[in-house]
């Protein structure tokens, strides 16, 4: 699956799409594929402060649990409630199944994230290990 | 794009084929094995409702042959092999002198002087060494035939109908835990055993381990099972299937630090037969009132998934035990676990908690197995 050019990516396999001062965050297709069938998404409540590089929740497949790391610092302004009942949507389309929306505290943090091309190269190296 | 296995890992004869059909591979006890193909849940459901095919060639096969083979088997395993008839198998375990597990095994009586012991993959070398060194004083030979066979497990309510297309052997004449030899996929003298590790009806067949034969049989089974929705199944589904059926996994529910009474496997322990390795220690444990901890089934009541290694807590939040295997159960659609807790707390309907990532999540002790297959009405 192609990685959208307009998204930025983390080495922990999250994506973020920024519109104005709000970032929408999800996990990548690579992440959903490694996890397998996703059965549970543990997301924070609206109003929670998240910090760049820190865990803000988790996503669980049948076989494993994986922390979610925030690509940016800020405040949660939205949570995708659909994932509470249909977490498998992430398997179907990881790049449109967002998990949280975050009001950014420091948009300059985005500069350190990976572009689609850089992320794809990074996953190729991970696979080759 | 097909990738090749890291060279340090061991491979079954079907390794290239697994990669060719896009299996996700993992390192399982030093083996490069498929964890899933189309998806764990779909594979799990195929076995519960139709049929699934597993490559279990990483399992080991030790043959004990000679006039002293029964005495040898009796000495190294806890079940009573003298009760086996030719063509019959049973679940058993090899124990250390302290009554803990070398491994759990299936013992097959091939003939009066010939036994086949099927062992786990991760313990193959250790097991063979253990058997060899402990049967020396008996008049028999121990041979490691592990690499001679590709072992395929065909499991599920449609397993018999699938396999029936590939053999003339009357499969209905093979009862659970019995086996026969017959021609399968044109291969004469193939061992067909009605055994498995899924809680379903099913068969395990042992075919020659060359790549061409292994791949041919694999493909013929998939073709035969097509009308029943057969899926190739990986270790992921194998694990959730055995967990729903509360079957033990080495280094989880059983290990060299866990004894037979703790693991709740004493129904396979025959202390009344002649002394065997581990029997004295187990008699002592029994005489002293049994084990201090016991394996129980847990159903997570609140939101959260118990995982291997998570702590079990009492109502006050004190750690009382540990989860040995935990997972969402795809067929039961519950979050289940096996765990060790103090014997006095190992009571059905008892309330405990599992510490899930720092938070206590309520769980209830339930009877095991969590899943029991429906009895055939026909």
């Amino acid at each position: 699956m192609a990685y959208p050019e307009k998204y930025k990516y983390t080495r922990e396999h999250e994506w973020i799409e920024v519109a104005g001062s709000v970032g929408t965050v999800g996990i990548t297709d690579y992440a959903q594929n490694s996890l397998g069938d996703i059965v549970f998404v543990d997301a924070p409540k609206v109003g929670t402060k998240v910090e760049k590089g820190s865990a803000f929740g988790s996503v669980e497949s049948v076989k494993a649990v994986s922390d979610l790391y925030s690509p940016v610092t800020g405040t949660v302004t939205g949570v995708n409630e659909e994932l509470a009942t249909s977490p498998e949507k992430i398997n179907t389309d990881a790049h449109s199944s967002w998990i949280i929306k975050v009001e950014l505290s420091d948009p300059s943090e985005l500069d350190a994230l990976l572009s689609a091309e850089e992320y794809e190269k990074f996953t190729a190296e991970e696979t080759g290990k | 794009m097909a990738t090749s296995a890291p060279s340090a890992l061991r491979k079954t004869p079907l390794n290239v084929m697994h990669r060719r059909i896009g299996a996700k591979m993992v390192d399982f006890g030093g083996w490069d094995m498929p964890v899933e193909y189309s998806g764990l849940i779909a594979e799990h459901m195929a076995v519960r409702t139709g049929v699934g095919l597993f490559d279990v060639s990483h399992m080991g096969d030790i043959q004990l042959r000679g006039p002293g083979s029964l005495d040898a088997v009796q000495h190294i395993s806890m079940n009573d092999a003298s009760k086996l008839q030719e063509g019959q198998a049973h679940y058993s375990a090899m124990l250390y002198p302290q009554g803990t597990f070398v491994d759990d095994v299936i013992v097959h009586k091939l003939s009066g002087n010939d036994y086949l012991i099927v062992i786990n993959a991760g313990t193959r070398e250790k097991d063979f060494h253990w058997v060899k060194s402990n049967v020396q004083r008996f008049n028999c030979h121990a041979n490691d035939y592990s690499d001679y066979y590709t072992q395929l497990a065909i499991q599920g309510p449609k397993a018999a109908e699938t396999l029936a297309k590939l053999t003339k052997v009357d499969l209905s004449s093979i009862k659970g835990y019995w086996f026969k030899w017959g021609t399968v996929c044109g291969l004469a003298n193939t061992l067909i055993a009605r055994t498995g590790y899924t809680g379903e009806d099913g068969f395990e067949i042992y075919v020659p381990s060359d790549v061409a034969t292994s791949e041919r049989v694999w493909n013929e089974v998939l073709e035969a099972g097509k009308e029943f929705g057969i899926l190739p199944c990986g270790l992921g589904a194998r694990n959730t299937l055995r967990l729903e059926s509360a079957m033990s996994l080495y280094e989880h529910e059983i290990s060299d630090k866990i004894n037979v009474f703790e693991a709740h496997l004493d129904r396979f322990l025959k202390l009344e037969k002649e002394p065997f390795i581990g029997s004295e220690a187990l008699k002592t444990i029994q005489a002293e009132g049994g084990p201090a901890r016991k394996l129980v089934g847990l159903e997570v009541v609140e939101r959260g998934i118990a995982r291997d290694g998570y702590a079990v807590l009492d109502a006050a939040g004190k750690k009382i035990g540990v989860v040995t295997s935990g997972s969402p159960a795809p067929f039961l659609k519950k979050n289940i676990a096996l765990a060790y807790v103090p014997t006095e707390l190992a009571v059905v309907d008892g309330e405990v908690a599992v510490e899930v990532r720092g938070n206590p999540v309520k769980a209830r002790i339930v009877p095991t197995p969590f899943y029991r297959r429906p009895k055939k009405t026909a």
Side-chain angles (χ1 to χ4, degrees):
Chain A
M1 185 174 285
Y3 292 98
E5 296 283 341
K6 59 182 177 175
Y7 292 5
K8 293 279 207 171
Y9 300 87
T10 70
R11 287 184 169 79
E12 289 78 35
H13 308 289
E14 288 84 17
W15 56 260
I16 180 167
E17 179 188 22
V18 178
S21 64
V22 175
T24 302
V25 178
I27 65 167
T28 66
D29 187 60
Y30 177 89
Q32 73 75 19
N33 185 53
S34 333
L35 279 164
D37 293 322
I38 291 169
V39 293
F40 188 55
V41 177
D42 189 14
K45 290 189 172 65
V46 168
T48 306
K49 306 271 185 219
V50 296
E51 200 178 321
K52 181 183 167 67
S54 293
F56 68 83
S58 63
V59 50
E60 301 206 34
S61 68
V62 178
K63 62 177 190 255
V65 52
S66 181
D67 278 321
L68 293 164
Y69 294 97
S70 184
V72 291
T73 303
T75 305
V76 176
T77 58
V79 176
N80 187 354
E81 299 295 344
E82 196 188 13
L83 296 180
T85 48
S86 303
E88 72 282 358
K89 296 257 175 184
I90 294 177
N91 292 117
T92 321
D93 189 354
H95 296 155
S96 69
S97 302
W98 62 279
I99 297 171
I100 55 168
K101 290 184 189 289
V102 181
E103 175 79 31
L104 309 187
S105 306
D106 179 5
S108 74
E109 286 176 343
L110 296 167
D111 299 342
L113 299 175
L114 305 176
S115 68
E117 192 186 336
E118 288 164 338
Y119 178 71
E120 216 164 342
K121 210 174 279 175
F122 172 69
T123 57
E125 282 163 17
E126 289 249 300
T127 312
K129 262 182 205 166
Chain B
M1 195 175 67
T3 51
S4 57
S7 55
L9 294 179
R10 298 169 74 177
K11 306 173 192 72
T12 76
L14 291 166
N15 187 275
V16 170
M17 198 227 30
H18 295 315
R19 290 178 170 272
R20 199 165 59 224
I21 63 175
K24 237 181 263 173
M25 307 295 284
V26 289
D27 175 353
F28 177 77
W31 289 78
D32 184 55
M33 294 299 290
V35 64
E36 62 179 40
Y37 303 81
S38 48
L40 195 161
I41 294 176
E43 293 165 25
H44 183 111
M45 295 305 285
V47 172
R48 287 279 179 259
T49 61
V51 56
L53 173 63
F54 301 78
D55 175 15
V56 289
S57 307
H58 57 316
M59 307 275 292
D61 313 284
I62 299 174
Q63 201 156 0
L64 286 177
R65 188 179 279 172
S69 55
L70 174 60
D71 290 338
V73 170
Q74 291 290 60
H75 179 61
I76 59 169
S77 64
M78 69 179 192
N79 208 332
D80 186 357
S82 74
K83 297 283 199 293
L84 287 176
Q85 297 176 44
E86 270 187 47
Q88 193 180 14
H90 66 198
Y91 181 84
S92 187
M94 301 196 293
L95 305 177
Y96 290 111
Q98 61 270 34
T100 63
F101 293 87
V102 177
D103 198 5
D104 62 344
V105 300
I106 306 283
V107 176
H108 301 69
K109 181 174 181 175
L110 305 180
S111 76
N113 293 330
D114 203 352
Y115 291 81
L116 174 70
I117 304 174
V118 176
I119 59 173
N120 284 303
T123 49
R124 258 165 70 161
E125 279 66 33
K126 179 189 84 168
D127 286 9
F128 184 61
H129 183 257
W130 178 260
V131 171
K132 223 177 147 89
S133 58
N134 283 292
V135 302
Q136 271 168 358
R137 64 189 173 86
F138 300 96
N139 189 7
C140 72
H141 285 285
N143 288 303
D144 182 359
Y145 283 121
S146 305
D147 293 331
Y148 289 58
Y149 299 113
T150 284
Q151 186 180 341
L152 299 180
I154 304 157
Q155 302 281 303
K158 295 293 183 187
E161 280 176 76
T162 300
L163 186 56
K165 294 183 186 176
L166 304 171
T167 182
K168 289 202 176 71
V169 173
D170 175 15
L171 298 174
S172 69
S173 71
I174 308 177
K175 305 292 173 209
Y177 277 88
W178 286 75
F179 60 89
K180 273 190 177 166
W181 280 274
T183 302
V184 178
C185 299
L187 301 162
N189 298 317
T190 299
L191 179 62
I192 309 166
R194 201 157 198 157
T195 51
Y197 191 49
T198 59
E200 290 304 325
D201 183 24
F203 296 86
E204 292 180 292
I205 59 172
Y206 298 72
V207 301
S209 62
D210 65 282
V211 172
T213 303
S214 303
E215 289 193 4
R216 180 173 70 80
V217 175
W218 173 271
N219 287 325
E220 286 185 27
V221 175
L222 286 183
E223 189 58 37
K226 217 174 214 170
E227 64 170 300
F228 309 117
I230 195 169
L231 289 180
C233 299
L235 294 181
R238 189 167 160 81
N239 186 53
T240 49
L241 287 158
R242 71 92 196 166
L243 179 57
E244 281 186 345
S245 309
M247 291 166 150
S248 297
L249 176 62
Y250 199 76
E251 296 292 10
H252 290 252
E253 288 70 41
I254 59 175
S255 76
D256 60 356
K257 294 179 183 64
I258 296 167
N259 73 47
V260 178
F261 292 114
E262 292 173 322
H264 197 43
L265 289 170
D266 37 310
R267 64 193 179 282
F268 304 103
L269 170 69
K270 299 292 144 66
L271 287 174
E272 64 278 13
K273 72 171 188 177
E274 66 267 34
F276 56 94
I277 305 172
S279 62
E280 281 313 307
L282 291 170
K283 277 179 184 164
T284 306
I285 292 167
Q286 194 175 42
E288 287 172 358
R293 58 174 179 175
K294 266 190 173 166
L295 190 68
V296 293
L298 297 181
E299 190 181 308
V300 180
V301 181
E302 293 180 313
R303 233 166 107 89
I305 300 169
R307 302 274 180 190
D308 309 10
Y310 285 10
V312 179
L313 313 173
D314 66 11
K318 189 179 135 233
K319 183 177 172 178
I320 53 167
V322 66
V323 171
T324 52
S325 298
S327 167
F331 183 80
L332 299 172
K333 298 194 169 55
K334 290 171 180 172
N335 295 320
I336 59 171
L338 291 169
Y340 278 102
V341 299
T343 301
E344 66 273 18
L345 299 175
V347 184
V348 168
D349 286 334
E351 281 182 20
V352 294
V354 176
E355 189 178 343
V356 178
R357 302 155 66 74
N359 299 312
V361 171
K362 276 186 190 152
R364 191 162 49 89
I365 298 176
V366 296
T368 53
F370 305 97
Y371 168 85
R372 213 184 281 273
R373 72 173 181 262
K375 286 263 184 284
K376 252 196 194 151
T377 44

